[in-house]
Each structure stands twice: as C-alpha cells, then as structure tokens.
Amino acid sequence: MRRGSALIRLGVGLGLLALPWAGAHSAVPEAVERFEAEARLFVLDNRAQGSRLVALDLPGGQAVAEVSLPPRGMSLVATPSGRYLLVSRGRDTDRQWLSVVWTGKEEGRWSRPVLAKSLLLGRGWNIGHGSKAYTLGDRLLAFAERDAVALLFSEGSLDPKEAFQAERLRLPNPDHYHVVEAPEGTYLTLLARGQVVLFDPLLREERARFPCPIQHGEALHKATGRSFFACAKDVLALEGGRELGRLAYPVSERIGAFLEGEEALFGYSDGVQHLQRLDPRALSLTPVALGGVFLRGKSDGKRLYILLTDGRLQVREAREGRLLREVRVGRPFPELDEDTGGAIYPDIAPWPEKGLAYVSLPHLGLVAEVDVERGRLVRYLRVGGSPTRMVLVRP
C-alpha cells in the first residue's frame, strides 16, 4: 500500500505540472523605458557604509536611479560624449576599482543609468580634471599612478557589450601626473620629481625637461599656444617647447590649479583668499581678493563660480574676475581636509544655458539650486548622506 500511495502521489504531481498554468509565467508586453528630462545631474554620495551615485533628472529634480559603487569614491568625470561616467575609488585600499556608469543619454531620449563595467586594472587612479575625463588625441586617458602606467582606450571600450581594450604606456616613475596637449607635443607633469616633461603627441618619446618644484596646476591657452605650470614659488610659462619665463606669485599663496576664463586664466588652491589672474599674453599675475576663504571653484568660460568656506557662492565674470553676484547657499562648512582616500569636499555644477548652478552640501545632505542670473537660492534637492562630486550631463 505504501508503494501504491507513493505512485499515486507522484502521478498527481506530474499531472499538476502538465496543467497550462503550473510552473510558468504569463507573457507581458515589453514597455519602452523612457525618462523625460532636459539634463541629468549625477551626485556622488560618499556614506560611511558605501558610495552611491544618485541621478537627478532636471528641471524637475526627481531622483530616478541610484547606482551602488565601492566605498570612498574619489573622482567623478564624464567622457566627451556624456554617455559614460568614470568613478575612481580612494587610494586607501588595495582594491582600487574604476567604475564605469552608463548615463542613459541616447539620441532623442534618456534611459535608466546603470553600472556598465567594474575594472580592477591598477592602483592610484587619476582620471581627469574637474568633471572632465582626460583625453589624448581621440582616446581617453587614465593614469594608474602607483603602477607608473597610463591607459589609452576608446570610448567604445566602455560599452557593456564590448570587451575593455586599452594600450598601456609606461611612465617614468610612480608619481602624481597631469597632462597638457600643446601644439608642440604633450606635456606630462611629475609632482614628486618636480618636473615638466615634453613628449611627442602620443607620449612615447621624451623631448625636453623643465624644473618645476612641487608642480601642481597646469593649463593651455589655446589662442597663443602657450602652456603654464604652477610651481612652488612661481608659474612656468612655455611656448613651442621653450621657456618664456617664470612669473613670481604676487601674494604669499601658491597656485594648485587653474580655471579657464576669457583671455585669462585664474589660479587657485585650497584655503587661499585670492584668485591669481594670469594674462597669457602679457605674462603677468594679478591677485583678486575674494573676501573669504576659497573652498571650491568652477568655470563655464564666461563666469567663475567660487564657493567660500562660510557658505557663500560667488559669481564672477571670467575676464577680470569682477564680482557679479553673491548667494548664501548654506551655513558655514565644517573644517575639511580632503586627502586621496576619498572625496569629502563640496562641488559645483554650472548649467549656463539655464542660468543655474548646483552646489553640493556634504554636511547637510543637500544640493542647492542657485539662479546665478538673479542671484538667489531657488531650492534644495534632498540627496541624503554626504553628496560630494557632481557632473551635469546635457543632451
């Protein structure tokens, strides 16, 4: 009887499996996943338990996606097309992932942003300046600084359907590198060695070296073809592979980076109280007093956006650095000291076509939207956590 009962039970089970609804799912229509947006703002949120990239569709400001990333994100940059973002991890761990995020930007539509690739290819990533990825010619460039290697790759290698393929270039030594593409070749800067090295355009053959102690900060003035490099005590000016001169700092502050203006470059560094206006033609430096302590800066080529430690955002014209408007975006920032272990500074993302700028406020978990034409705070976008680096992707 037991054997017969077992067979009956098995037969019933097989009969159930034969029913049309058993063990199957109904078909559903395939919907088009489309988002309505004029632009998409990406905000890197570095929480203690892990990092995430929040996508806000504008002008509405709705959060449409969150992409989980390895903890302690450091840099967030966009490729020239705006289709991909590169996110480097802080350098305080032996697993320094390079994350590739597809922004969802397509021809005539926005789709859902997703993680496209996670690459574990080197240590000490340096992937761009501000919100823009480094490029060399028509390819993307990334430095694995601790491994003394540069990777050259096409944007097509970031496609999730394609294999990642890159050309590996050996660098002189482990160092902190920046790059300037000039008419006479490509300049590579070495902070630890205190040198500026001129290579051929593809970084294969060395042509000249120039001393520049503690080099940090570089820019090309396209109209003149002159390149400028900020050293410990002065700015090195080069043209055609030859030294034009060295410009002594007019104040007791040095330059660590440049903002591009109109027929001018504006030098700055963490904690300074002046911009230093560089005239590329006259080869002169002029201090521009800020009336506060510099925390973060951006430029759209026509205007400078300067965030001060007391919570004020200054809007300045980009020819002489004259103050146009000033808006308080939040209470004063706590004392900050960002290292290469992960981003903690606020950031600024201008939207010049709309006369807007977005300012991340890590200590408040907010992003401030500012009308820079009228000089007023419009609203806060609630992100939560500690929002730091930002990239605005436009159609």
Side-chain angles (χ1 to χ4, degrees):
M1 287 297 293
R2 290 180 181 176
R3 177 182 175 85
S5 299
L7 289 173
I8 291 172
R9 287 196 298 272
L10 178 60
V12 171
L14 291 173
L16 289 174
L17 290 175
L19 293 175
W21 47 264
H25 296 286
S26 303
V28 295
E30 187 178 84
V32 176
E33 194 171 46
R34 187 188 300 272
F35 295 80
E36 298 297 328
E38 294 182 32
R40 181 166 280 172
L41 180 67
F42 289 88
V43 185
L44 178 62
D45 170 23
N46 271 345
R47 302 183 178 213
Q49 63 272 29
S51 297
R52 61 183 183 136
L53 192 63
V54 182
L56 305 172
D57 277 1
L58 301 174
Q62 301 91 350
V64 296
E66 295 182 7
V67 180
S68 294
L69 300 171
R72 303 284 284 167
M74 185 61 204
S75 295
L76 170 67
V77 298
T79 61
S81 73
R83 288 171 52 85
Y84 297 98
L85 303 178
L86 301 178
V87 192
S88 65
R89 191 183 184 191
R91 306 181 189 185
D92 58 348
T93 173
D94 64 343
R95 302 295 249 178
Q96 293 171 16
W97 293 97
L98 186 63
S99 302
V100 180
V101 176
W102 184 56
T103 62
K105 175 184 174 181
E106 296 186 85
E107 187 68 35
R109 63 178 278 185
W110 291 93
S111 297
R112 182 177 299 279
V114 296
L115 182 67
K117 279 183 169 71
S118 290
L119 304 172
L120 191 59
L121 301 171
R123 301 170 302 151
W125 287 109
N126 181 8
I127 56 177
H129 178 69
S131 60
K132 296 180 180 179
Y134 286 136
T135 57
L136 187 63
D138 59 354
R139 290 188 288 176
L140 293 161
L141 174 68
F143 296 106
E145 294 181 334
R146 290 186 179 177
D147 299 319
V149 169
L151 299 181
L152 273 172
F153 53 94
S154 69
E155 193 166 309
S157 287
L158 303 180
D159 190 315
K161 300 186 296 295
E162 303 295 333
F164 181 79
Q165 296 181 334
E167 179 184 357
R168 296 172 66 89
L169 302 176
R170 296 301 307 179
L171 300 176
N173 51 271
D175 211 318
H176 184 41
Y177 290 96
H178 292 95
V179 65
V180 173
E181 287 187 272
E184 62 269 24
T186 299
Y187 288 102
L188 198 64
T189 69
L190 294 74
L191 183 148
R193 291 283 179 98
Q195 294 175 326
V196 175
V197 186
L198 174 61
F199 285 85
D200 70 290
L202 295 179
L203 284 178
R204 290 182 172 84
E205 178 188 350
E206 182 179 326
R207 294 178 175 174
R209 287 197 177 216
F210 306 88
C212 185
I214 319 179
Q215 192 289 323
H216 204 293
E218 55 288 317
L220 170 70
H221 184 244
K222 295 179 182 178
T224 60
R226 293 175 173 177
S227 301
F228 299 91
F229 303 89
C231 311
K233 297 181 179 180
D234 50 28
V235 174
L236 168 65
L238 301 175
E239 182 180 7
R242 297 181 179 180
E243 182 175 324
L244 288 177
R246 294 178 182 264
L247 315 179
Y249 296 130
V251 290
S252 59
E253 298 169 340
R254 64 155 297 177
I255 292 173
F258 289 96
L259 297 174
E260 183 177 351
E262 292 187 281
E263 281 301 309
L265 299 167
F266 292 86
Y268 67 91
S269 193
D270 295 344
V272 299
Q273 298 186 46
H274 299 81
L275 297 178
Q276 297 191 46
R277 181 185 181 276
L278 192 158
D279 186 326
R281 298 183 188 275
L283 296 181
S284 62
L285 283 173
T286 305
V288 179
L290 296 174
V293 179
F294 182 98
L295 182 57
R296 197 73 171 166
K298 284 291 177 70
S299 171
D300 62 19
K302 300 291 184 181
R303 286 175 290 202
L304 309 176
Y305 305 87
I306 308 298
L307 183 63
L308 304 179
T309 57
D310 62 6
R312 287 179 291 157
L313 177 70
Q314 294 184 342
V315 183
R316 294 176 174 268
E317 54 84 24
R319 185 172 291 274
E320 301 294 334
R322 179 172 53 87
L323 181 64
L324 300 175
R325 279 166 285 281
E326 192 172 78
V327 183
R328 179 165 292 281
V329 295
R331 61 175 182 254
F333 291 88
E335 187 172 338
L336 300 171
D337 185 17
E338 183 177 279
D339 57 26
T340 59
I344 61 173
Y345 278 172
D347 202 2
I348 307 167
W351 194 3
E353 296 87 349
K354 295 291 184 178
L356 298 172
Y358 295 87
V359 183
S360 61
L361 307 172
H363 58 317
L364 301 177
L366 303 172
V367 171
E369 182 181 82
V370 179
D371 184 332
V372 297
E373 298 288 351
R374 299 180 182 180
R376 65 184 183 90
L377 177 66
V378 178
R379 59 176 172 170
Y380 290 113
L381 303 176
R382 188 169 297 279
V383 176
S386 297
T388 59
R389 306 288 198 261
M390 296 190 297
V391 168
L392 181 70
V393 178
R394 289 165 282 181

